[in-house]
Amino acid sequence: MHRRGVGAGAIAKKKLAEAKYKERGTVLAEDQIVQMSKQLETFKSNLEEFASKHKQEIRKSSQFRVQFQEMCATIGVDPLASGKGFWSEMLGVGDFYYELGVQIIEVCLALKHRNGGLITLDELHHRVLKGRGKFAQDVSQDDLVRAIKKLKVMGNGFGMIPVGGSYLVQSVPAELNMDHTVVLQLAEKKGYVSVSEIRESLKWERERACHVLDHLLKEGLAWLDSQASGEPQYWLPALFSELTSLLSISDGGK
Amino acid sequence: MSFEWPWQYNFPPFFTLQPNVDTRQKQLAAWCSLALSYCRHHKLYTLGIMEVQECPVFNHKNIDRKLSTEAILIVFEELRKKGNLEWLDKNKTQCLVMWRRPEEWGKLIYQWVSRSAMVNSCNTFPPEFHGLEEWMLIRSLQALQTDGKAEVITMDDGKGVKFF
């Protein structure tokens, strides 16, 4: 009986054949690599062209930024995902939001003593624009929200609380749970809130309402007004509209 | 130039002594600052506790809020601790307000004297000294004296000052 391929000679032959295939495979891979790298070169130079054309726009136009972000989201890319790397370096997208983040932190720090670390998105927007001066680039609220989200990821104690169609930006790690948030939302309408209002609107027990209000006082987010008619009122400097309207007066506007 | 009220002045809780310690500290600091600027603006040097309660600073009629007497006294105590206020009587009904402390006045006087001495012209008090009451002037000169920059000399017909 003869069995094919068995025997020292056959094994050696097989090994040689395998080696040749391997070499071939390597050659093929190399080929692919050369092709790929050519494609990459083209891709890279196209992107560089795109970058140089649109870098200005990214810095200047908030509308362009929105569209750019949306486009990136569609293809599953987050240009802000890493501080370094192609997107931020090539296009300066990261730079823009990084710088904005720094500005936001500065504004919040400067006002913390006044509002306890809570500020409306409107006021933040106004102050950021003011800080950038007359010739500054356009910064939209969408930009702010993205920059704040980034700050939040970096663990800066930042958070956003939805109130009255916009947001309250929290810049201190004060513990605010659902109860606190809901009371803040209630207070947004008039800038202040009372125990009865909370009980009426939210159907809470008195103790629960007082607990929340005490916490807000403790965190420096609310001040007590005991001269209001009826019962004490709790006012939030962050929502004090007089303050924000003073801002527009001091700008010499209207 | 009209007086510029700080944002807190229109904030109703500003007139309630805050229960939270940190907030109260900020509140008192703001009150001290407001009281001193108001006195500086209107060139007030003495205050009587009775009139003070009706003063627009502590009684904001527009928003129907006023600082209680107890709170006013707390503010005044803060001012006293900082060297900006002195009680004239044990019952705390009248006080001196030094929106510029004697040392600060002394410095200004010394600067003015140095300037005028060099210029060698007829010396009239510049605007910042207008309304400076005598008791304050004397204290300022005493402060300078302590500093070794002046000497108050008693003469037959009154007091004189020598500057070094």
Side-chain angles (χ1 to χ4, degrees):
Chain A
M1 242 182 331
H2 272 294
R3 271 182 289 171
R4 264 202 214 147
V6 180
I11 291 171
K13 221 176 177 182
K14 195 170 175 204
K15 278 210 151 108
L16 188 63
E18 278 174 3
K20 279 208 163 142
Y21 277 128
K22 231 182 173 176
E23 211 187 285
R24 208 44 169 336
T26 314
V27 166
L28 274 172
E30 261 180 51
D31 217 18
Q32 280 180 318
I33 288 169
V34 166
Q35 238 199 351
M36 272 168 63
S37 103
K38 278 202 186 132
Q39 283 178 330
L40 212 56
E41 270 307 311
T42 317
F43 182 58
K44 198 171 168 218
S45 68
N46 283 346
L47 275 165
E48 279 170 11
E49 207 190 302
F50 177 84
S52 65
K53 245 199 257 178
H54 298 293
K55 195 166 186 171
Q56 281 302 309
E57 265 181 274
I58 283 178
R59 283 197 79 74
K60 274 202 268 180
S61 161
S62 59
Q63 207 185 21
F64 184 81
R65 283 194 296 274
V66 169
Q67 287 173 341
F68 177 73
Q69 296 273 10
E70 283 172 3
M71 175 193 83
C72 289
T74 316
I75 58 174
V77 168
D78 179 4
L80 300 182
S82 61
K84 286 189 179 183
F86 170 74
W87 295 106
S88 62
E89 283 167 10
M90 271 264 128
L91 295 168
V93 175
D95 277 349
F96 176 85
Y97 287 100
Y98 175 79
E99 282 164 22
L100 187 55
V102 168
Q103 245 204 308
I104 290 169
I105 292 175
E106 280 171 0
V107 168
C108 288
L109 273 177
L111 294 173
K112 196 175 87 157
H113 71 281
R114 188 185 283 191
N115 56 31
L118 210 59
I119 186 172
T120 60
L121 188 61
D122 275 344
E123 188 181 352
L124 179 62
H125 191 205
H126 183 102
R127 291 198 181 250
V128 163
L129 286 175
K130 213 165 128 188
R132 288 169 94 91
K134 269 197 294 187
F135 304 103
Q137 301 116 0
D138 164 38
V139 169
S140 67
Q141 291 202 353
D142 178 85
D143 289 322
L144 290 176
V145 169
R146 287 183 199 274
I148 291 166
K149 283 192 174 139
K150 185 102 168 60
L151 286 171
K152 192 172 170 172
V153 162
M154 298 201 292
N156 275 286
F158 269 81
M160 283 190 294
I161 301 162
V163 294
S166 179
Y167 293 102
L168 273 176
V169 177
Q170 182 187 348
S171 60
V172 288
E175 285 183 33
L176 293 181
N177 58 29
M178 273 303 294
D179 273 8
H180 304 131
T181 306
V182 133
V183 167
L184 287 177
Q185 288 165 340
L186 192 58
E188 193 266 341
K189 287 186 227 101
K190 292 185 280 180
Y192 64 86
V193 76
S194 67
V195 171
S196 321
E197 278 168 43
I198 294 174
R199 295 187 68 191
E200 236 173 78
S201 306
L202 304 174
K203 309 284 182 254
W204 286 1
E205 304 269 308
R206 185 183 180 79
E207 200 180 309
R208 187 176 176 187
C210 289
H211 189 72
V212 167
L213 293 171
D214 280 342
H215 185 82
L216 293 178
L217 284 179
K218 193 172 128 233
E219 294 292 332
L221 298 175
W223 288 47
L224 175 71
D225 175 21
S226 57
Q227 291 176 49
S229 58
E231 54 167 336
Q233 286 171 353
Y234 295 75
W235 290 68
L236 281 90
L239 298 171
F240 186 44
S241 57
E242 285 248 14
L243 193 55
T244 49
S245 67
L246 271 175
L247 280 176
S248 38
I249 290 169
S250 66
D251 290 341
K254 302 190 186 160
Chain B
M1 200 179 73
S2 64
F3 186 67
E4 265 182 50
W5 298 98
W7 72 270
Q8 292 96 330
Y9 185 63
N10 290 307
F11 190 55
F14 191 50
F15 295 81
T16 300
L17 201 58
Q18 290 304 302
N20 175 262
V21 165
D22 296 324
T23 310
R24 181 186 295 204
Q25 255 176 3
K26 291 185 210 161
Q27 180 189 26
L28 288 176
W31 269 113
C32 286
S33 174
L34 173 55
L36 289 179
S37 350
Y38 188 81
C39 289
R40 178 188 288 120
H41 186 87
H42 294 282
K43 299 265 199 281
L44 302 173
Y45 289 91
T46 47
L47 295 176
I49 204 77
M50 282 295 125
E51 305 94 74
V52 140
Q53 286 176 71
E54 290 312 307
C55 176
V57 176
F58 300 109
N59 186 353
H60 192 172
K61 295 213 162 88
N62 274 354
I63 61 167
D64 197 20
R65 297 286 186 277
K66 60 198 286 193
L67 206 57
S68 67
T69 313
E70 181 209 349
I72 293 175
L73 286 173
I74 292 176
V75 172
F76 279 19
E77 175 58 16
E78 284 301 301
L79 286 170
R80 189 197 64 79
K81 281 195 265 187
K82 289 203 261 181
N84 293 108
L85 185 143
E86 215 177 87
W87 289 109
L88 287 170
D89 62 324
K90 272 211 173 86
N91 297 326
K92 297 195 180 170
T93 61
Q94 295 275 331
C95 64
L96 294 176
V97 175
M98 295 172 274
W99 38 268
R100 213 171 245 151
R101 283 171 302 135
E103 301 79 41
E104 292 161 337
W105 276 117
K107 209 167 159 190
L108 275 179
I109 292 169
Y110 191 78
Q111 280 170 0
W112 169 71
V113 165
S114 316
R115 270 201 323 264
S116 344
M118 288 199 278
V119 170
N120 214 19
S121 58
C122 178
N123 301 319
T124 47
F125 276 109
E128 59 254 38
F129 294 120
H130 287 169
L132 179 57
E133 294 183 357
E134 195 182 318
W135 63 267
M136 187 48 141
L137 176 60
I138 291 172
R139 289 212 192 189
S140 319
L141 295 173
Q142 282 170 344
L144 278 177
Q145 186 164 268
T146 313
D147 233 12
K149 292 206 158 79
E151 193 184 322
V152 178
I153 307 161
T154 317
M155 304 180 293
D156 293 329
D157 53 347
K159 286 192 176 23
V161 193
K162 189 175 169 186
F163 292 95
F164 302 114

